[in-house]
Amino acid sequence: GPTRKMPSTASAMDFFQLFVPDNVLKNMVVQTNMYAKKYQERFGSDDAWIDVTLTEMKAFLGYMISTSIHHCESVLSIWSSGFYSNKSIALIMTQSRFEKILKYFHIVAFRSSQTTHGLYKIQPFLDSLQNGFDSAFRPSQTQVLHEPLIDEDPIFIATCTERELRKRKKRKFSLWVRQCSSTGFICQIYVHLKEGSGADGLDALKNKPQLHSMVAKSLCQNASGKNYIIFTGPSITSLNLFEEFEKQGIYCCGLLSARKSDCTGLPPTMLNNPETPPSRGQYRIKMKGNMSLICWYNKGHFRFLTNAYSPVQQGVIIKRKSGEIPCPLAVEAFAAHLSYICKYDDKYSKYFISHKPNKTWQQVFWFAISIAINNAYILYKMSEAYHVTRYSRAQFGERLVKELLGLEDTSPTH
């Protein structure tokens, strides 16, 4: 849970600033103004440009965040006369001023000579965000490594052509997270660039499980010696990775797939399906030290690799139609923790910022901001402030937008 007690009067902004404090926003102001100056020195002066202020930067973020609640396809719809117009917040800043800030917005204005990392324009922000996640929250023992569902606006998806959809889906990075499976709090973000050189590229990542294990190691670099139990999908699950994690005091439970997983070192007899299928709920086990390979049958063969649960401990999977199906405890735990993440995705993925810039670092930035707001809401729900106001996720987002824009509307929304 939270590492610090927030007062019952804490606002949405207070929770958001646990991860994006004023000093980070002030740096955005400085870097944006530096980039605007550099841009104009190179391409000619822009008489309409005035240096951005901290108040304007907060309003700029507020406008962008508003697209996560109202799902307008373009942030500029706020100033339009159409369905997504929002007169109550449009008066804070003119559309032309907003577009100027959007044009010059930067987190790192200059590339240093030592920089080779493709994410150099956003890395300081990601590092600051990670520090905020680490210092504000202590995760539960059970955590999940996965790619979070980044929801697209269903209205847009229904109306756009297949070509537009294909064009839109081409992201040049993949986003992975380590997530507390008791609360949904995202503890760590890892961004993998498609443009990475050679074997580290995203195209190679899709085909090579060892590169997925590299992602897993990056996500668990702060988890050593804490007795965490990490749940993984087929692309990450491998005997070598789990044995390496065990030496660091990290225990694992993962679903195996003969097609997607690295099956090196696993007995082939357990990876092949028997000719006659067993009855539902039956399973076979092979062990090596603390590691168990479980092959469980339920309308199909499911294989699990774990060193976190004893294979002889019994559990059950409860199905609405067929009732209880017996299984090892590891299978029950895996199903329970992954279903929690599915519920998190259903609830929170629709609150990702709708603005889709062309530049990869900006796409990563708005995804990271969206995750920070979801984390802020999770901390809010665990605080005394929630018992006073009880905002939904949408209401919390609306409050945050108003506070960023400086609209002093403090009456609670029911």
Side-chain angles (χ1 to χ4, degrees):
T3 56
R4 66 187 87 173
K5 190 176 180 181
M6 298 291 279
S8 58
T9 53
S11 64
M13 185 75 164
D14 293 332
F15 288 97
F16 177 64
Q17 293 219 296
L18 291 172
F19 311 125
V20 188
D22 267 354
N23 65 327
V24 171
L25 296 174
K26 284 173 184 171
N27 181 61
M28 291 179 197
V29 170
V30 171
Q31 297 294 330
T32 299
N33 289 333
M34 282 168 64
Y35 180 78
K37 186 181 177 186
K38 181 180 83 167
Y39 186 93
Q40 290 173 51
E41 283 171 0
R42 188 171 177 187
F43 298 108
S45 63
D46 183 348
D47 296 334
W49 173 254
I50 305 162
D51 276 2
V52 69
T53 64
L54 179 61
T55 305
E56 285 182 315
M57 185 58 73
K58 286 181 179 178
F60 172 76
L61 289 180
Y63 284 125
M64 286 299 195
I65 292 165
S66 72
T67 68
S68 67
I69 307 149
H70 304 295
H71 297 289
C72 47
E73 175 50 22
S74 167
V75 67
L76 301 180
S77 305
I78 291 166
W79 291 274
S80 72
S81 55
F83 180 77
Y84 290 114
S85 66
N86 192 332
K87 296 288 185 284
S88 63
I89 65 173
L91 300 171
I92 301 299
M93 185 185 287
T94 64
Q95 181 180 338
S96 59
R97 179 59 176 163
F98 175 85
E99 288 184 88
K100 283 292 177 200
I101 298 172
L102 182 60
K103 178 181 178 180
Y104 296 123
F105 175 67
H106 266 70
I107 295 160
V108 175
F110 299 101
R111 182 173 190 154
S112 69
S113 54
Q114 296 87 22
T115 306
T116 54
H117 194 350
L119 287 172
Y120 77 94
K121 283 196 171 185
I122 194 179
Q123 198 59 52
F125 174 76
L126 294 177
D127 293 342
S128 166
L129 202 61
Q130 189 58 57
N131 290 337
F133 292 169
D134 291 341
S135 61
F137 185 81
R138 190 172 60 252
S140 67
Q141 185 185 22
T142 51
Q143 292 159 44
V144 180
L145 305 186
H146 71 118
E147 287 184 273
L149 180 69
I150 297 167
D151 211 13
E152 294 283 10
D153 176 29
I155 297 167
F156 173 76
I157 294 301
T159 57
C160 74
T161 65
E162 193 177 329
R163 187 180 170 203
E164 282 174 331
L165 199 60
R166 274 203 312 271
K167 186 180 174 187
R168 187 182 177 88
K169 279 187 174 175
K170 284 181 182 172
R171 284 208 310 270
K172 293 183 179 177
F173 64 93
S174 74
L175 183 75
W176 294 77
V177 299
R178 175 163 58 88
Q179 188 166 16
C180 168
S181 63
S182 300
T183 59
F185 190 95
I186 287 177
C187 312
Q188 192 154 359
I189 301 171
Y190 179 77
V191 180
H192 197 97
L193 282 183
K194 187 174 186 177
E195 289 148 358
S197 56
D200 282 358
L202 188 61
D203 292 333
L205 184 73
K206 286 176 183 168
N207 307 321
K208 295 185 179 178
Q210 66 264 33
L211 289 170
H212 277 129
S213 76
M214 182 197 75
V215 171
K217 288 172 194 172
S218 299
L219 283 169
C220 295
Q221 59 192 6
N222 301 331
S224 297
K226 296 180 180 175
N227 266 12
Y228 288 155
I229 297 174
I230 303 290
F231 293 91
T232 63
S235 58
I236 290 177
T237 304
S238 82
L239 179 63
N240 292 337
L241 179 69
F242 283 14
E243 286 177 339
E244 195 174 323
F245 274 169
E246 189 176 346
K247 291 172 188 170
Q248 300 171 27
I250 302 168
Y251 300 90
C252 304
C253 179
L255 183 64
L256 261 177
S257 157
R259 192 168 57 86
K260 291 183 180 177
S261 305
D262 177 4
C263 297
T264 309
L266 298 174
T269 52
M270 292 291 282
L271 300 174
N272 299 323
N273 297 335
E275 288 180 18
T276 53
S279 56
R280 287 180 76 179
Q282 284 196 323
Y283 56 90
R284 297 177 292 145
I285 298 165
K286 280 233 167 161
M287 293 185 70
K288 176 190 173 189
N290 294 331
M291 201 71 67
S292 310
L293 175 55
I294 301 164
C295 183
W296 177 69
Y297 185 80
N298 176 26
K299 289 187 178 178
H301 292 274
F302 295 89
R303 293 172 180 82
F304 296 86
L305 189 65
T306 183
N307 56 3
Y309 297 92
S310 164
V312 295
Q313 282 186 284
Q314 290 294 308
V316 287
I317 299 283
I318 299 170
K319 297 282 184 183
R320 249 181 306 184
K321 291 181 180 174
S322 46
E324 294 184 352
I325 303 164
C327 65
L329 184 62
V331 178
E332 182 190 340
F334 185 90
H337 288 97
L338 252 72
S339 71
Y340 184 91
I341 297 305
C342 290
K343 285 177 191 167
Y344 172 92
D345 279 345
D346 290 345
K347 182 173 182 181
Y348 291 103
S349 64
K350 64 170 77 76
Y351 295 109
F352 276 77
I353 291 167
S354 297
H355 174 67
K356 298 290 185 289
N358 291 327
K359 291 187 170 64
T360 298
W361 73 265
Q362 290 183 5
Q363 291 172 19
V364 174
F365 176 77
W366 296 118
F367 283 137
I369 287 282
S370 302
I371 287 170
I373 299 168
N374 285 341
N375 276 355
Y377 181 68
I378 289 166
L379 290 189
Y380 160 73
K381 282 196 79 173
M382 297 169 81
S383 74
E384 290 177 7
Y386 180 68
H387 299 293
V388 176
T389 50
R390 288 193 175 271
Y391 293 133
S392 67
R393 172 63 184 83
Q395 289 169 330
F396 182 84
E398 285 173 357
R399 295 293 313 155
L400 178 59
V401 168
K402 286 183 176 179
E403 287 163 27
L404 282 164
L405 289 164
L407 296 166
E408 296 303 318
D409 172 22
T410 52
S411 59
T413 313
H414 293 294

